[in-house]
Amino acid sequence: MEIGTIGAGALAQAFARRALKAGHKVKLSNSRGPDRLREIVNQLGPGATAATKEEAAACEMVLLAVPWDNVPSTLASLPKWNNQILIDGTNPFHGKAGKFTPADVGNLSTSQLVAALAPGARVVKAFNHMIVPNLEADPVVNGARRVAFISADDDGAKKRVQTLLENCGYSVVDLGNLRDGGLIQQAGGPLAGRDFFERGEYHK
């Protein structure tokens, strides 16, 4: 499968490495254009390509991995969604790494807001609880699989993302819909930043 990323920072690169290792292809994009991604793509290796945001968003599955403050303008700049699965990896923080302040999103999950800003996309929330070093690390440790949480209102899209994550080596836990599941795993929720493993023998 070919997966696009909107954003090419630490989260997108860590996700790309996992997806590439599982045999998928990844189109990375950012706000500055493909030419600024050549070095990153070369480091990621075969299967990774630099793309425009429009090209990345046209993939059947797309990871949204931009700072929260950039989400509205980023989504507004993209073509109309046509049932692509949009994995929301954003968390409600203003500012950039090292200068984060929590954003007030009321009693909504970030993914509910993303879904409202991306009509036509099938939004699935994932990776919100996982810090980047844990995403970069091997998902299997001493026979135990790292847990990845997902939530969505579209069961078919959620199942597709679950299959992708299991293919990457994770043990997937379904937290339910975008609102309830999203609030549990996003920043400020009880699972945010925690690292869980499922015990039991697992062989790649």
Side-chain angles (χ1 to χ4, degrees):
M1 179 170 55
E2 193 167 61
I3 306 168
T5 74
I6 307 299
L11 172 62
Q13 290 178 46
F15 167 79
R17 289 189 182 93
R18 296 263 69 84
L20 290 166
K21 192 171 183 179
H24 300 286
K25 295 181 179 179
V26 181
K27 284 186 174 181
L28 290 99
S29 72
N30 65 8
S31 60
R32 295 177 294 175
D35 288 342
R36 302 298 293 270
L37 294 173
R38 302 300 180 196
E39 184 176 345
I40 290 173
V41 166
N42 288 339
Q43 290 174 351
L44 289 172
T49 56
T52 64
K53 289 187 296 181
E54 293 77 12
E55 290 169 337
C59 294
E60 60 181 304
M61 193 175 288
V62 183
L63 172 68
L64 179 65
V66 299
W68 181 245
D69 290 335
N70 298 351
V71 167
S73 60
T74 298
L75 292 176
S77 71
L78 295 173
K80 183 178 179 180
W81 294 88
N82 186 26
N83 289 321
Q84 300 101 307
I85 295 173
L86 179 60
I87 303 173
D88 175 28
T90 65
N91 267 309
F93 287 120
H94 294 307
K96 297 183 178 181
K99 298 181 180 178
F100 281 142
T101 57
D104 182 7
V105 291
N107 66 347
L108 298 177
S109 74
T110 58
S111 294
Q112 285 180 289
L113 297 177
V114 167
L117 293 169
R122 303 161 68 194
V123 178
V124 178
K125 195 163 194 70
F127 301 116
N128 291 118
H129 79 289
M130 200 180 296
I131 61 174
V132 169
N134 290 342
L135 182 57
E136 290 174 333
D138 195 314
V140 181
V141 178
N142 296 326
R145 289 188 293 165
R146 180 171 272 113
V147 173
F149 298 102
I150 58 173
S151 51
D153 294 337
D154 184 312
D155 288 339
K158 183 161 52 176
K159 185 64 178 176
R160 290 283 307 281
V161 175
Q162 177 177 344
T163 299
L164 168 67
L165 294 178
E166 289 174 345
N167 185 231
C168 289
Y170 295 100
S171 176
V172 179
V173 174
D174 183 349
L175 296 178
N177 62 29
L178 280 183
R179 181 185 181 278
D180 298 335
L183 289 173
I184 292 171
Q185 64 169 305
Q186 73 185 32
L191 299 181
R194 296 181 180 272
D195 199 19
F196 297 93
F197 287 85
E198 179 185 34
R199 295 178 66 182
E201 195 65 28
Y202 176 75
H203 300 282
K204 293 182 182 178

